[in-house]
Amino acid sequence: VCALLFECFERKALRPFVCGHVPGMVTSYLRAPVHLPGLETLLVAMNNRLAEESGETAAVFNPPSVKGPSVYSQPTPEPTTKSAILTEMALMNYENNQTPVALGTPPRPIETVNAVNRMPMLTTLIAWYNNYIACIDVDSLIEYCDMCIRLADVQTPPSVLSLSVPLLLEFLRGLMFCLHHPLCQAKAAQALTALHSRASHDLLPNVLLVTRSLLHLQAEADPG
């Protein structure tokens, strides 16, 4: 089955089909009572192919500028005094000297899975899933929410998994879509609560910032 899935993955036209199975693969890989070498090999191969296609460049974000009009600032008035001219020049210099902010790190190819590269590999696969999420059927979205609930579980201490902050943030990125899907809103709300509990348990401020925001928006959208 794993070999067939990778053959489908190699054909870009069939990638959405493979993508729909990512939540099940990740859950089985992390929650299986025994090691699954075939599944691990499939995940490594998919990660390496995505790393090869993405190259070495990470996505970047240019911070909003106050030099010109935008949704963040009003247009700069025409300079009428010397101080205004200096202010305009200062803003232009600030804009020219700004460095784009890198959004995460690009996927890295790996040879074998270990404690260091396991979470980055899974983060790459979940990020790939989220890129296709608008094309995924509802059954896969519900499975995605179930994956978040199961992996974030902190009720049974012996089975608590170590999850990285980037992976948890990717989980939340997918849940933002699921929370607005009418057929999986209830399950997505449960998953959000589970991830919030996990972030509180692990004291992860970056994740808590996102979960609290989503919970607040959810409460405003559904006061009852």
Side-chain angles (χ1 to χ4, degrees), residues 33-108:
V34 295
H35 180 57
L36 302 175
L39 179 56
E40 183 174 87
T41 301
L42 171 62
L43 297 179
V44 169
M46 291 170 61
N47 172 84
N48 291 350
R49 180 66 71 215
L50 293 172
E52 178 184 329
E53 293 175 356
S54 68
E56 297 294 327
T57 305
V60 297
F61 169 72
N62 290 313
S65 171
V66 296
K67 184 185 70 171
S70 72
V71 296
Y72 303 99
S73 63
Q74 295 297 323
T76 304
E78 292 294 328
T80 56
T81 64
K82 185 176 181 180
S83 61
I85 295 175
L86 291 175
T87 301
E88 180 80 5
M89 292 177 60
L91 290 173
M92 291 181 66
N93 290 333
Y94 175 74
E95 168 73 9
N96 294 332
N97 292 331
Q98 274 190 308
T99 302
V101 178
L103 301 178
T105 57
R108 301 292 185 186

Side-chain angles (χ1 to χ4, degrees), residues 2-194:
C2 292
L4 178 61
L5 284 173
F6 187 69
E7 288 181 12
C8 294
F9 177 80
E10 289 284 75
R11 301 182 181 183
K12 292 192 175 182
L14 297 178
R15 283 195 176 182
F17 166 76
V18 180
C19 191
H21 294 282
V22 166
M25 289 190 286
V26 171
T27 303
S28 298
Y29 176 64
L30 292 178
R31 281 297 187 192
V34 295
H35 180 57
L36 302 175
L39 179 56
E40 183 174 87
T41 301
L42 171 62
L43 297 179
V44 169
M46 291 170 61
N47 172 84
N48 291 350
R49 180 66 71 215
L50 293 172
E52 178 184 329
E53 293 175 356
S54 68
E56 297 294 327
T57 305
V60 297
F61 169 72
N62 290 313
S65 171
V66 296
K67 184 185 70 171
S70 72
V71 296
Y72 303 99
S73 63
Q74 295 297 323
T76 304
E78 292 294 328
T80 56
T81 64
K82 185 176 181 180
S83 61
I85 295 175
L86 291 175
T87 301
E88 180 80 5
M89 292 177 60
L91 290 173
M92 291 181 66
N93 290 333
Y94 175 74
E95 168 73 9
N96 294 332
N97 292 331
Q98 274 190 308
T99 302
V101 178
L103 301 178
T105 57
R108 301 292 185 186
I110 59 178
E111 294 183 2
T112 58
V113 179
N114 54 46
V116 175
N117 59 31
R118 180 178 289 108
M119 288 297 111
M121 176 189 74
L122 297 177
T123 302
T124 296
L125 296 175
I126 295 298
W128 175 63
Y129 179 90
N130 288 336
N131 291 338
Y132 276 97
I133 199 167
C135 306
I136 301 297
D137 62 83
V138 67
D139 290 334
S140 179
L141 296 178
I142 293 174
E143 189 175 21
Y144 179 88
C145 296
D146 284 330
M147 173 195 69
C148 294
I149 293 171
R150 292 188 62 188
L151 299 185
D153 177 43
V154 293
Q155 301 300 321
T156 51
S159 63
V160 174
L161 296 170
S162 177
L163 302 175
S164 67
V165 170
L167 180 59
L168 290 171
L169 291 176
E170 278 300 333
F171 285 164
L172 289 167
R173 185 161 76 97
L175 282 183
M176 290 180 195
F177 179 87
C178 297
L179 285 168
H180 294 87
H181 196 294
L183 298 179
C184 61
Q185 279 181 332
K187 183 66 72 172
Q190 295 177 29
L192 175 59
T193 301

